[in-house]
Short mmCIF file of all heavy atoms in Angstrom, two decimals:
data_model
loop_
_atom_site.label_atom_id
_atom_site.label_comp_id
_atom_site.label_asym_id
_atom_site.label_seq_id
_atom_site.Cartn_x
_atom_site.Cartn_y
_atom_site.Cartn_z
N GLN A 1 8.55 9.97 -2.40
CA GLN A 1 9.19 10.68 -3.50
C GLN A 1 8.35 10.71 -4.77
O GLN A 1 8.41 11.67 -5.53
CB GLN A 1 10.55 10.03 -3.80
CG GLN A 1 11.49 10.14 -2.62
CD GLN A 1 12.66 9.19 -2.74
OE1 GLN A 1 12.56 8.11 -3.29
NE2 GLN A 1 13.79 9.62 -2.19
N ARG A 2 7.60 9.64 -4.98
CA ARG A 2 6.81 9.55 -6.21
C ARG A 2 5.68 8.55 -6.01
O ARG A 2 5.83 7.57 -5.30
CB ARG A 2 7.72 9.08 -7.35
CG ARG A 2 7.08 9.07 -8.69
CD ARG A 2 8.09 8.86 -9.80
NE ARG A 2 9.10 7.88 -9.46
CZ ARG A 2 9.62 7.01 -10.32
NH1 ARG A 2 9.23 6.99 -11.56
NH2 ARG A 2 10.54 6.17 -9.93
N ILE A 3 4.54 8.82 -6.65
CA ILE A 3 3.41 7.90 -6.69
C ILE A 3 3.22 7.51 -8.14
O ILE A 3 3.04 8.36 -9.00
CB ILE A 3 2.13 8.56 -6.15
CG1 ILE A 3 2.33 9.02 -4.70
CG2 ILE A 3 0.94 7.61 -6.25
CD1 ILE A 3 1.22 9.89 -4.17
N THR A 4 3.29 6.21 -8.42
CA THR A 4 3.18 5.76 -9.80
C THR A 4 1.84 5.12 -10.13
O THR A 4 1.51 4.97 -11.30
CB THR A 4 4.30 4.76 -10.15
OG1 THR A 4 4.23 3.65 -9.26
CG2 THR A 4 5.67 5.43 -10.05
N ASP A 5 1.06 4.74 -9.10
CA ASP A 5 -0.24 4.11 -9.36
C ASP A 5 -1.12 4.26 -8.14
O ASP A 5 -0.64 4.18 -7.00
CB ASP A 5 -0.04 2.63 -9.70
CG ASP A 5 -1.32 1.96 -10.14
OD1 ASP A 5 -1.99 2.50 -11.04
OD2 ASP A 5 -1.65 0.89 -9.60
N VAL A 6 -2.40 4.46 -8.37
CA VAL A 6 -3.40 4.50 -7.30
C VAL A 6 -4.59 3.69 -7.81
O VAL A 6 -5.13 3.98 -8.88
CB VAL A 6 -3.85 5.94 -6.98
CG1 VAL A 6 -4.90 5.93 -5.88
CG2 VAL A 6 -2.67 6.81 -6.60
N ARG A 7 -4.98 2.68 -7.04
CA ARG A 7 -6.12 1.85 -7.44
C ARG A 7 -6.71 1.14 -6.24
O ARG A 7 -6.04 0.95 -5.24
CB ARG A 7 -5.72 0.83 -8.50
CG ARG A 7 -4.79 -0.25 -7.97
CD ARG A 7 -4.47 -1.31 -8.99
NE ARG A 7 -3.69 -0.70 -10.05
CZ ARG A 7 -3.53 -1.25 -11.24
NH1 ARG A 7 -4.08 -2.41 -11.52
NH2 ARG A 7 -2.80 -0.66 -12.15
N ARG A 8 -7.97 0.76 -6.39
CA ARG A 8 -8.61 -0.06 -5.37
C ARG A 8 -8.06 -1.46 -5.52
O ARG A 8 -8.01 -2.00 -6.64
CB ARG A 8 -10.11 -0.04 -5.55
CG ARG A 8 -10.82 -0.82 -4.50
CD ARG A 8 -12.23 -0.29 -4.26
NE ARG A 8 -12.83 -0.99 -3.15
CZ ARG A 8 -12.59 -0.73 -1.88
NH1 ARG A 8 -11.78 0.24 -1.56
NH2 ARG A 8 -13.16 -1.40 -0.92
N ALA A 9 -7.61 -2.04 -4.42
CA ALA A 9 -6.99 -3.36 -4.49
C ALA A 9 -7.15 -4.10 -3.17
O ALA A 9 -7.32 -3.48 -2.12
CB ALA A 9 -5.51 -3.24 -4.84
N ALA A 10 -7.06 -5.40 -3.25
CA ALA A 10 -7.07 -6.25 -2.06
C ALA A 10 -5.64 -6.67 -1.75
O ALA A 10 -4.85 -6.92 -2.65
CB ALA A 10 -7.92 -7.48 -2.29
N ASN A 11 -5.34 -6.72 -0.48
CA ASN A 11 -4.07 -7.26 -0.03
C ASN A 11 -4.43 -8.59 0.62
O ASN A 11 -4.84 -8.63 1.78
CB ASN A 11 -3.39 -6.31 0.96
CG ASN A 11 -2.06 -6.84 1.41
OD1 ASN A 11 -1.94 -7.99 1.79
ND2 ASN A 11 -1.06 -5.98 1.37
N LEU A 12 -4.31 -9.67 -0.13
CA LEU A 12 -4.75 -10.97 0.35
C LEU A 12 -3.89 -11.48 1.50
O LEU A 12 -4.39 -12.15 2.39
CB LEU A 12 -4.77 -11.98 -0.80
CG LEU A 12 -5.71 -11.61 -1.96
CD1 LEU A 12 -5.61 -12.64 -3.06
CD2 LEU A 12 -7.13 -11.45 -1.47
N ARG A 13 -2.63 -11.15 1.48
CA ARG A 13 -1.72 -11.60 2.54
C ARG A 13 -2.10 -10.97 3.89
O ARG A 13 -2.09 -11.63 4.91
CB ARG A 13 -0.29 -11.24 2.17
CG ARG A 13 0.73 -11.78 3.11
CD ARG A 13 2.11 -11.52 2.56
NE ARG A 13 3.08 -12.09 3.45
CZ ARG A 13 4.37 -11.96 3.29
NH1 ARG A 13 4.85 -11.30 2.25
NH2 ARG A 13 5.20 -12.49 4.14
N ALA A 14 -2.41 -9.68 3.86
CA ALA A 14 -2.76 -8.99 5.10
C ALA A 14 -4.26 -9.06 5.38
O ALA A 14 -4.70 -8.69 6.46
CB ALA A 14 -2.33 -7.52 5.01
N GLY A 15 -5.04 -9.52 4.42
CA GLY A 15 -6.47 -9.66 4.63
C GLY A 15 -7.19 -8.34 4.69
O GLY A 15 -7.94 -8.08 5.62
N ALA A 16 -6.96 -7.48 3.70
CA ALA A 16 -7.57 -6.15 3.73
C ALA A 16 -7.85 -5.68 2.31
O ALA A 16 -7.23 -6.13 1.35
CB ALA A 16 -6.65 -5.16 4.42
N THR A 17 -8.77 -4.73 2.20
CA THR A 17 -9.02 -4.06 0.93
C THR A 17 -8.99 -2.57 1.18
O THR A 17 -9.17 -2.10 2.30
CB THR A 17 -10.39 -4.44 0.34
OG1 THR A 17 -11.41 -4.10 1.28
CG2 THR A 17 -10.47 -5.91 -0.01
N GLY A 18 -8.76 -1.83 0.10
CA GLY A 18 -8.73 -0.38 0.21
C GLY A 18 -8.07 0.21 -1.02
O GLY A 18 -8.01 -0.41 -2.07
N ILE A 19 -7.56 1.41 -0.86
CA ILE A 19 -6.86 2.09 -1.94
C ILE A 19 -5.37 1.80 -1.80
O ILE A 19 -4.79 2.04 -0.75
CB ILE A 19 -7.10 3.62 -1.89
CG1 ILE A 19 -8.60 3.93 -1.89
CG2 ILE A 19 -6.38 4.30 -3.05
CD1 ILE A 19 -9.34 3.43 -3.10
N ARG A 20 -4.79 1.24 -2.85
CA ARG A 20 -3.36 0.91 -2.84
C ARG A 20 -2.59 1.97 -3.62
O ARG A 20 -2.89 2.25 -4.78
CB ARG A 20 -3.10 -0.45 -3.47
CG ARG A 20 -1.61 -0.84 -3.41
CD ARG A 20 -1.35 -2.13 -4.11
NE ARG A 20 -1.44 -1.91 -5.56
CZ ARG A 20 -1.46 -2.89 -6.45
NH1 ARG A 20 -1.42 -4.14 -6.06
NH2 ARG A 20 -1.54 -2.61 -7.73
N TYR A 21 -1.62 2.56 -2.98
CA TYR A 21 -0.71 3.53 -3.59
C TYR A 21 0.61 2.83 -3.86
O TYR A 21 1.21 2.29 -2.92
CB TYR A 21 -0.47 4.71 -2.66
CG TYR A 21 -1.69 5.55 -2.40
CD1 TYR A 21 -2.65 5.15 -1.47
CD2 TYR A 21 -1.89 6.75 -3.07
CE1 TYR A 21 -3.78 5.93 -1.23
CE2 TYR A 21 -3.01 7.53 -2.83
CZ TYR A 21 -3.95 7.11 -1.92
OH TYR A 21 -5.06 7.88 -1.68
N THR A 22 1.05 2.82 -5.10
CA THR A 22 2.39 2.35 -5.42
C THR A 22 3.29 3.57 -5.32
O THR A 22 3.10 4.55 -6.05
CB THR A 22 2.45 1.74 -6.83
OG1 THR A 22 1.50 0.67 -6.90
CG2 THR A 22 3.85 1.21 -7.14
N ILE A 23 4.21 3.51 -4.37
CA ILE A 23 5.02 4.69 -4.05
C ILE A 23 6.51 4.34 -4.14
O ILE A 23 6.89 3.17 -4.13
CB ILE A 23 4.70 5.22 -2.64
CG1 ILE A 23 5.01 4.16 -1.58
CG2 ILE A 23 3.26 5.70 -2.56
CD1 ILE A 23 4.91 4.66 -0.15
N TYR A 24 7.32 5.40 -4.20
CA TYR A 24 8.77 5.26 -4.10
C TYR A 24 9.24 6.02 -2.87
O TYR A 24 8.90 7.18 -2.69
CB TYR A 24 9.47 5.79 -5.36
CG TYR A 24 9.47 4.78 -6.47
CD1 TYR A 24 8.35 4.62 -7.27
CD2 TYR A 24 10.57 3.97 -6.69
CE1 TYR A 24 8.33 3.68 -8.28
CE2 TYR A 24 10.56 3.02 -7.70
CZ TYR A 24 9.44 2.88 -8.49
OH TYR A 24 9.43 1.93 -9.48
N VAL A 25 10.00 5.32 -2.04
CA VAL A 25 10.60 5.88 -0.83
C VAL A 25 12.06 5.49 -0.83
O VAL A 25 12.39 4.30 -0.94
CB VAL A 25 9.89 5.35 0.44
CG1 VAL A 25 10.59 5.83 1.69
CG2 VAL A 25 8.43 5.74 0.44
N ASP A 26 12.94 6.46 -0.73
CA ASP A 26 14.39 6.22 -0.77
C ASP A 26 14.79 5.40 -2.00
O ASP A 26 15.69 4.55 -1.94
CB ASP A 26 14.87 5.52 0.50
CG ASP A 26 14.87 6.44 1.71
OD1 ASP A 26 14.83 7.67 1.50
OD2 ASP A 26 14.91 5.94 2.84
N GLY A 27 14.11 5.62 -3.12
CA GLY A 27 14.44 4.94 -4.36
C GLY A 27 13.85 3.55 -4.52
O GLY A 27 14.07 2.91 -5.54
N TYR A 28 13.11 3.06 -3.52
CA TYR A 28 12.54 1.72 -3.58
C TYR A 28 11.03 1.79 -3.75
O TYR A 28 10.35 2.59 -3.11
CB TYR A 28 12.85 0.94 -2.29
CG TYR A 28 14.31 0.63 -2.13
CD1 TYR A 28 15.12 1.44 -1.35
CD2 TYR A 28 14.87 -0.47 -2.75
CE1 TYR A 28 16.47 1.17 -1.20
CE2 TYR A 28 16.22 -0.75 -2.61
CZ TYR A 28 17.01 0.07 -1.83
OH TYR A 28 18.33 -0.20 -1.70
N GLU A 29 10.51 0.89 -4.59
CA GLU A 29 9.06 0.80 -4.78
C GLU A 29 8.44 0.06 -3.60
O GLU A 29 8.98 -0.93 -3.11
CB GLU A 29 8.75 0.06 -6.07
CG GLU A 29 7.26 -0.01 -6.37
CD GLU A 29 6.96 -0.75 -7.65
OE1 GLU A 29 6.94 -0.09 -8.71
OE2 GLU A 29 6.78 -1.97 -7.59
N SER A 30 7.29 0.54 -3.17
CA SER A 30 6.55 -0.09 -2.08
C SER A 30 5.08 0.18 -2.28
O SER A 30 4.69 0.95 -3.16
CB SER A 30 7.03 0.49 -0.75
OG SER A 30 6.44 -0.21 0.32
N HIS A 31 4.25 -0.47 -1.47
CA HIS A 31 2.82 -0.22 -1.50
C HIS A 31 2.36 0.31 -0.15
O HIS A 31 2.74 -0.21 0.89
CB HIS A 31 2.04 -1.51 -1.82
CG HIS A 31 2.26 -1.98 -3.21
ND1 HIS A 31 2.89 -3.16 -3.50
CD2 HIS A 31 1.96 -1.41 -4.40
CE1 HIS A 31 2.95 -3.30 -4.81
NE2 HIS A 31 2.39 -2.25 -5.38
N LEU A 32 1.57 1.34 -0.22
CA LEU A 32 0.95 1.96 0.95
C LEU A 32 -0.55 1.84 0.75
O LEU A 32 -1.05 2.16 -0.34
CB LEU A 32 1.38 3.42 1.05
CG LEU A 32 0.73 4.28 2.13
CD1 LEU A 32 1.11 3.78 3.52
CD2 LEU A 32 1.14 5.74 1.95
N TYR A 33 -1.25 1.39 1.76
CA TYR A 33 -2.69 1.17 1.65
C TYR A 33 -3.46 2.13 2.56
O TYR A 33 -3.05 2.38 3.69
CB TYR A 33 -3.06 -0.25 2.08
CG TYR A 33 -2.58 -1.32 1.13
CD1 TYR A 33 -1.29 -1.82 1.20
CD2 TYR A 33 -3.43 -1.82 0.15
CE1 TYR A 33 -0.85 -2.80 0.34
CE2 TYR A 33 -3.00 -2.81 -0.72
CZ TYR A 33 -1.71 -3.30 -0.62
OH TYR A 33 -1.28 -4.26 -1.48
N TYR A 34 -4.56 2.64 2.03
CA TYR A 34 -5.55 3.34 2.84
C TYR A 34 -6.73 2.40 2.92
O TYR A 34 -7.53 2.26 1.99
CB TYR A 34 -5.93 4.68 2.21
CG TYR A 34 -6.84 5.51 3.07
CD1 TYR A 34 -6.46 5.90 4.34
CD2 TYR A 34 -8.09 5.91 2.61
CE1 TYR A 34 -7.29 6.66 5.13
CE2 TYR A 34 -8.92 6.68 3.39
CZ TYR A 34 -8.52 7.05 4.66
OH TYR A 34 -9.35 7.80 5.44
N GLY A 35 -6.82 1.68 4.04
CA GLY A 35 -7.79 0.60 4.18
C GLY A 35 -9.22 1.08 4.31
O GLY A 35 -9.50 2.25 4.59
N ASP A 36 -10.13 0.16 4.09
CA ASP A 36 -11.56 0.46 4.21
C ASP A 36 -11.94 0.85 5.64
O ASP A 36 -13.03 1.38 5.86
CB ASP A 36 -12.39 -0.72 3.74
CG ASP A 36 -12.36 -0.89 2.23
OD1 ASP A 36 -11.99 0.07 1.52
OD2 ASP A 36 -12.71 -1.99 1.75
N ASP A 37 -11.06 0.60 6.60
CA ASP A 37 -11.29 1.01 7.99
C ASP A 37 -10.71 2.40 8.26
O ASP A 37 -10.60 2.82 9.40
CB ASP A 37 -10.71 -0.01 8.97
CG ASP A 37 -9.20 -0.20 8.83
OD1 ASP A 37 -8.60 0.41 7.91
OD2 ASP A 37 -8.63 -0.94 9.63
N TYR A 38 -10.31 3.11 7.18
CA TYR A 38 -9.79 4.49 7.25
C TYR A 38 -8.47 4.57 8.01
O TYR A 38 -8.19 5.56 8.68
CB TYR A 38 -10.82 5.46 7.85
CG TYR A 38 -12.15 5.38 7.15
CD1 TYR A 38 -13.25 4.79 7.76
CD2 TYR A 38 -12.29 5.86 5.86
CE1 TYR A 38 -14.47 4.71 7.11
CE2 TYR A 38 -13.50 5.78 5.20
CZ TYR A 38 -14.59 5.20 5.83
OH TYR A 38 -15.78 5.10 5.18
N ARG A 39 -7.65 3.52 7.91
CA ARG A 39 -6.33 3.50 8.53
C ARG A 39 -5.29 3.21 7.46
O ARG A 39 -5.53 2.43 6.54
CB ARG A 39 -6.27 2.42 9.62
CG ARG A 39 -7.25 2.69 10.75
CD ARG A 39 -7.33 1.54 11.71
NE ARG A 39 -6.13 1.51 12.54
CZ ARG A 39 -5.78 0.48 13.29
NH1 ARG A 39 -6.52 -0.62 13.30
NH2 ARG A 39 -4.70 0.52 14.01
N TRP A 40 -4.12 3.83 7.59
CA TRP A 40 -3.02 3.63 6.66
C TRP A 40 -2.16 2.46 7.15
O TRP A 40 -1.88 2.35 8.35
CB TRP A 40 -2.14 4.87 6.59
CG TRP A 40 -2.80 6.05 5.96
CD1 TRP A 40 -3.48 7.04 6.58
CD2 TRP A 40 -2.85 6.36 4.57
NE1 TRP A 40 -3.95 7.96 5.67
CE2 TRP A 40 -3.56 7.56 4.41
CE3 TRP A 40 -2.34 5.74 3.42
CZ2 TRP A 40 -3.79 8.15 3.18
CZ3 TRP A 40 -2.56 6.33 2.19
CH2 TRP A 40 -3.27 7.52 2.08
N PHE A 41 -1.72 1.60 6.21
CA PHE A 41 -0.80 0.53 6.59
C PHE A 41 0.09 0.16 5.41
O PHE A 41 -0.21 0.44 4.26
CB PHE A 41 -1.55 -0.71 7.11
CG PHE A 41 -2.31 -1.50 6.06
CD1 PHE A 41 -1.72 -2.56 5.40
CD2 PHE A 41 -3.63 -1.18 5.76
CE1 PHE A 41 -2.42 -3.29 4.45
CE2 PHE A 41 -4.33 -1.90 4.81
CZ PHE A 41 -3.73 -2.96 4.16
N VAL A 42 1.21 -0.45 5.76
CA VAL A 42 2.10 -1.07 4.78
C VAL A 42 2.14 -2.56 5.10
O VAL A 42 1.83 -2.97 6.22
CB VAL A 42 3.53 -0.47 4.81
CG1 VAL A 42 3.51 0.98 4.37
CG2 VAL A 42 4.16 -0.61 6.18
N GLU A 43 2.50 -3.35 4.11
CA GLU A 43 2.56 -4.78 4.33
C GLU A 43 3.91 -5.15 4.93
O GLU A 43 4.95 -4.77 4.42
CB GLU A 43 2.39 -5.53 3.01
CG GLU A 43 2.39 -7.03 3.18
CD GLU A 43 2.20 -7.75 1.87
OE1 GLU A 43 1.24 -7.46 1.15
OE2 GLU A 43 3.05 -8.61 1.57
N GLY A 44 3.86 -5.86 6.06
CA GLY A 44 5.09 -6.36 6.68
C GLY A 44 5.62 -7.54 5.90
O GLY A 44 4.88 -8.27 5.25
N LYS A 45 6.91 -7.75 5.97
CA LYS A 45 7.54 -8.85 5.25
C LYS A 45 7.42 -10.17 5.99
O LYS A 45 7.47 -11.22 5.40
CB LYS A 45 9.03 -8.55 5.00
CG LYS A 45 9.27 -7.27 4.25
CD LYS A 45 8.69 -7.33 2.87
CE LYS A 45 9.01 -6.06 2.12
NZ LYS A 45 8.14 -5.79 1.02
N LYS A 46 7.30 -10.11 7.32
CA LYS A 46 7.21 -11.30 8.14
C LYS A 46 6.07 -11.14 9.13
O LYS A 46 5.66 -10.04 9.44
CB LYS A 46 8.50 -11.52 8.94
CG LYS A 46 9.73 -11.74 8.12
CD LYS A 46 10.91 -11.94 9.04
CE LYS A 46 12.17 -12.18 8.26
NZ LYS A 46 13.32 -12.39 9.14
N LYS A 47 5.62 -12.26 9.65
CA LYS A 47 4.66 -12.19 10.74
C LYS A 47 5.34 -11.56 11.94
O LYS A 47 6.55 -11.67 12.11
CB LYS A 47 4.16 -13.59 11.12
CG LYS A 47 3.28 -14.23 10.09
CD LYS A 47 2.76 -15.55 10.62
CE LYS A 47 1.85 -16.19 9.61
NZ LYS A 47 1.29 -17.46 10.10
#
C-alpha cells in the first residue's frame, strides 16, 4: 500500500544484507528485503 523508506541495510537476525523497503501491507508496517543474492525475502518471526 505504501513505501515509507528505502535504504541499504543489514538484517542481522536473518544474516543478510541488501536493500530494505519499509512497507505497509493491510495497514501494518513491515520490512521487505531485496538481498545481495537478488532474491526477495521478509523476516520470519520464528525459526
Side-chain angles (χ1 to χ4, degrees):
Q1 298 164 327
R2 185 169 40 142
I3 301 170
T4 58
D5 187 50
V6 179
R7 68 176 66 197
R8 182 152 186 79
N11 181 312
L12 299 178
R13 186 173 182 184
T17 58
I19 305 299
R20 183 184 73 191
Y21 294 80
T22 303
I23 61 172
Y24 278 81
V25 174
D26 288 342
Y28 293 97
E29 183 180 272
S30 187
H31 291 115
L32 174 65
Y33 291 84
Y34 186 59
D36 288 342
D37 61 356
Y38 308 108
R39 297 172 74 194
W40 292 93
F41 71 92
V42 294
E43 183 179 307
K45 303 297 183 202
K46 298 180 179 181
K47 290 184 179 182

